[in-house]
Amino acid sequence: MEISTWWGIVEQARAAVGDRADDRDPPDDPLPDALVDVLAALEPADIIDFYVKHVELTDSAERYPLMWAAFLIEGSFTDDGFMDFRDGLMLLGHETFKRAVADPDSLADLSVVLRMSRDEGGWIGYETLSYLIKDAYQRARGETGTFDTALEAAIKGMTRPELPSGGNWDPEDDDAMRHHLPRLAALFLD
């Protein structure tokens, strides 16, 4: 699957839910179901390919600066919390994801982040796209028994990062956070 096709699928689901696509906080968040609907219309092999691209994108965002931005925004820097953050970031669309990976401080421009900084609700993280992909596979095939085997074969031999890349610093050092992520630090530390 081409990366443009992958992002096209996400954008199709985002378009289906309109202005409700940018916040994972509401209990009736419509985007996960919309994504399952779009994916379930694909062939099972294409759903597996979507999963593989998801893994590649997750790995491309395995960066310390983005992890520490997630810590500022959502208050967590566990492995699971960072995985959820990256999955939710993907649901915000290609341009937002690409910009955030290159410059995590750009997340300060998002309306959901501004609301979160003012304790007015909102959330980016989503637990987890892999569940949605498996749900779509089940709908498309009528079963999930072959999912794990197909996925294992598809990702066999992939080189995955052992540690995040990019500059690292102590996320509990407010001065370091202000230096590396000044706009986000201004929202969440000051």
Side-chain angles (χ1 to χ4, degrees), residues 113-147:
V113 170
L114 294 172
R115 284 195 319 275
M116 292 170 72
S117 74
R118 296 186 301 254
D119 291 325
E120 295 173 358
W123 200 249
I124 291 176
Y126 184 77
E127 186 186 343
T128 170
L129 280 181
S130 61
Y131 297 146
L132 300 179
I133 299 166
K134 191 169 187 173
D135 289 349
Y137 186 89
Q138 179 176 9
R139 195 184 304 170
R141 286 220 24 133
E143 54 84 19
T144 58
T146 58
F147 181 80

Side-chain angles (χ1 to χ4, degrees), residues 27-46:
D28 62 341
D29 178 7
L31 187 56
D33 288 339
L35 183 58
V36 171
D37 290 344
V38 173
L39 287 171
L42 301 175
E43 292 296 321
D46 292 331

Side-chain angles (χ1 to χ4, degrees), residues 63-65 68 165-169 180:
R63 303 184 44 75
Y64 281 115
W68 302 146
S165 63
N168 191 11
W169 63 88
H180 294 284

Side-chain angles (χ1 to χ4, degrees), residues 88-106:
L89 194 57
M90 287 178 216
L91 292 175
L92 293 177
H94 181 228
E95 288 306 314
T96 300
F97 179 83
K98 183 171 71 171
R99 196 170 37 253
V101 171
D103 176 18
D105 211 29
S106 70

